[in-house]
Amino acid sequence: MVSTYRLRTDGNRAFDITDEISAAVAASGVREGIAVVSLPHTTASVGIISFPDPLGLIDVMDEVARLVPTRIDFKHQHDTPQDAAGHIKSTIIGTTMSLIVSAGTLLMGHSQKVYFMEHDGPRQRQFHVQVVGR
Amino acid sequence: MVSTYRLRTDGNRAFDITDEISAAVAASGVREGIAVVSLPHTTASVGIISFPDPLGLIDVMDEVARLVPTRIDFKHQHDTPQDAAGHIKSTIIGTTMSLIVSAGTLLMGHSQKVYFMEHDGPRQRQFHVQVVGR
Amino acid sequence: MVSTYRLRTDGNRAFDITDEISAAVAASGVREGIAVVSLPHTTASVGIISFPDPLGLIDVMDEVARLVPTRIDFKHQHDTPQDAAGHIKSTIIGTTMSLIVSAGTLLMGHSQKVYFMEHDGPRQRQFHVQVVGR
């Protein structure tokens, strides 16, 4: 029932995954319900961002990096500073999201798309979509 | 099945939408399940905030504005700086939220209410509520 | 149908609640669906954090405290400054979370665990888990 999708991130930016989520909704056959997107990672997050201006996507990623800077004084020292900062961004923004399914499709605003936000790329990644309803 | 509500925001503050969500839950007839609130906007967000002290609502909005200041150096220049900052606040806090429905009503804490957080008002806005369960 | 769990927080840190959520999923009998975790509090939050390095948990809590410092100039003055700051952290990170249930268990990454993040402890706390699906 769960749909799983893979992607290769080429760096720390936002990747549009709306089409994959829409495909999972269509495959589920659910007309009225809820879709949950979940990333099994701890240095990435899922967010809805305004898509018409691609520069706005860069602003979001830049601002998240400004709020939680990559630096060398984290207690977590097993991995790189980018990884340590990524864990924090991932928790604050979140790795799961609920979306409304109505009339068999995602109910979203005309400027909204769902993005896989990479905070420790490049990496091989994946995400899951589960749909419930009827 | 989806309930849609409209509101007119008079500025950048938090608007209590708990009653509308409760009405959508009641209308659904679901006794045990989940309600998802979703905003179709990219410069607003949905959050649970402590309501007994109205000054606390101002603190939350002020702090979000302090963390993501409205300024003129965003790459996104199609719209106002308030709009550019609003996109980022919207993504970080989020435009969707899942709530538990139990015994036919929202299961929430005695100090919790759900708020539509406006980051680029005044504007004509809306939000959707979908309920699943039985 | 809702499972409720209690915990006593001994201070402002992250408490692993993954086992309790897994128990609620098992008790529900749901094989394919969604679990929603909800905290009825306004000075705590729920987050997924990387667990292999316990120092990383401290980093997340420290960083959240750096972003929203406990200070005396909040408008909310009914309670302690720690409480006022906690309200803001709670709203930004969130008090609810959706998780995917598949094959009768939580579908999560190998480094992910779900944490109750205490921002105003020590306190007596609780959280709820609702599961929908089939």
Side-chain angles (χ1 to χ4, degrees), chain C:
Chain C
M1 291 297 94
V2 172
S3 300
T4 298
Y5 300 92
R6 285 172 176 74
L7 75 159
R8 172 77 190 173
T9 62
D10 57 10
N12 293 345
R13 60 183 187 87
F15 298 83
D16 180 4
I17 57 172
T18 316
D19 286 350
E20 287 84 349
I21 302 167
S22 293
V25 169
S28 74
V30 169
R31 300 287 301 167
E32 296 294 326
I34 291 168
V36 170
V37 183
S38 181
L39 282 46
H41 308 294
T42 54
T43 53
S45 52
V46 59
I48 288 177
I49 316 179
S50 177
F51 75 86
D53 179 5
L55 294 176
L57 301 174
I58 300 174
D59 279 336
V60 172
M61 298 301 291
D62 282 356
E63 194 76 350
V64 170
R66 183 186 65 76
L67 285 166
V68 183
T70 296
R71 53 187 196 268
I72 59 171
D73 64 346
F74 288 116
K75 291 184 171 65
H76 177 55
Q77 297 282 342
H78 289 193
D79 216 317
T80 63
Q82 174 174 281
D83 174 89
H87 287 319
I88 296 160
K89 297 170 186 172
S90 178
T91 297
I92 292 175
I93 303 176
T95 57
T96 73
M97 174 179 287
S98 297
L99 297 163
I100 293 176
V101 175
S102 187
T105 60
L106 288 177
L107 180 62
M108 295 179 62
H110 62 86
S111 296
Q112 292 184 322
K113 284 191 183 293
V114 185
Y115 288 88
F116 185 105
M117 301 168 72
E118 173 64 81
H119 305 302
D120 192 24
R123 283 205 187 204
Q124 198 64 41
R125 297 295 203 178
Q126 56 181 304
F127 59 94
H128 308 292
V129 184
Q130 176 72 293
V131 188
V132 298
R134 63 204 160 62

Side-chain angles (χ1 to χ4, degrees), chain A residues 31-34 36 46-53 55-56 58-60 62-64 66-67 92-93 97-102 107-113 117 132-134, chain B residues 1-4 34-42 66-69 71 73-78 84 87-88 90-98 128-133:
Chain A
R31 300 287 302 168
E32 295 293 326
I34 291 169
V36 170
V46 59
I48 287 175
I49 316 179
S50 178
F51 76 87
D53 179 6
L55 294 177
I58 300 173
D59 279 336
V60 172
D62 281 355
E63 194 76 352
V64 170
R66 184 187 65 76
L67 286 166
I92 292 176
I93 303 175
M97 174 180 287
S98 298
L99 297 163
I100 293 177
V101 175
S102 188
L107 181 61
M108 296 180 62
H110 62 86
S111 295
Q112 293 184 322
K113 284 191 183 292
M117 301 167 72
V132 298
R134 62 205 161 59
Chain B
M1 292 293 95
V2 173
S3 300
T4 298
I34 292 168
V36 170
V37 184
S38 181
L39 282 46
H41 308 296
T42 54
R66 184 187 63 77
L67 286 165
V68 183
R71 54 186 195 270
D73 63 347
F74 289 115
K75 291 184 172 65
H76 177 55
Q77 296 282 344
H78 289 194
H87 287 318
I88 296 161
S90 178
T91 297
I92 292 176
I93 303 176
T95 56
T96 74
M97 174 179 288
S98 297
H128 307 292
V129 184
Q130 175 72 292
V131 189
V132 298

Side-chain angles (χ1 to χ4, degrees), chain B residues 62-127:
Chain B
D62 281 355
E63 194 76 351
V64 171
R66 184 187 63 77
L67 286 165
V68 183
T70 296
R71 54 186 195 270
I72 58 171
D73 63 347
F74 289 115
K75 291 184 172 65
H76 177 55
Q77 296 282 344
H78 289 194
D79 215 319
T80 64
Q82 174 174 280
D83 173 88
H87 287 318
I88 296 161
K89 297 170 186 171
S90 178
T91 297
I92 292 176
I93 303 176
T95 56
T96 74
M97 174 179 288
S98 297
L99 297 163
I100 292 177
V101 175
S102 187
T105 60
L106 288 177
L107 181 62
M108 295 180 62
H110 62 86
S111 295
Q112 293 184 321
K113 284 191 184 291
V114 185
Y115 289 87
F116 185 106
M117 301 167 72
E118 173 64 80
H119 306 302
D120 193 23
R123 284 205 187 203
Q124 198 65 40
R125 298 294 204 177
Q126 56 180 307
F127 58 94

